Amino acid sequence: MNNMVPAHTPCVEGPGRAGGIALPAPAVTVVIVVVLLTGALVACGMTLETVLTTLTAGGLLGVELLRRTIAAVAPRSRVR
């Protein structure tokens, strides 16, 4: 099995330990954006429950939108 990661793969280093995994850059970006949005909404006066509900609903809608977009664009989903 090839354990080498191609150099062009967008990853960031995880914790520095033997056998650690590299985290994909988009996942790290999503975490940073969610933390910043949470902080900004709380700083603007929204309650924490409202912020969590808003971000959860937005995240679920975003995932569904992404799934349907990929399904529509993917070559295997086209009817012949």
Side-chain angles (χ1 to χ4, degrees):
M1 178 178 259
N2 187 1
N3 290 332
M4 300 298 292
V5 177
H8 64 278
T9 303
C11 291
V12 294
E13 290 286 331
R17 61 177 183 217
I21 61 170
L23 300 174
V28 174
T29 304
V30 167
V31 170
I32 291 171
V33 168
V34 167
V35 169
L36 290 175
L37 280 174
T38 303
L41 291 174
V42 169
C44 289
M46 290 181 77
T47 62
L48 189 58
E49 292 83 8
T50 305
V51 171
L52 293 177
T53 303
T54 303
L55 291 178
T56 301
L60 292 173
L61 289 171
V63 166
E64 187 62 27
L65 177 65
L66 188 61
R67 278 188 187 160
R68 289 181 184 240
T69 302
I70 290 171
V73 176
R76 68 172 188 258
S77 67
R78 293 190 181 134
V79 178
R80 294 182 185 205

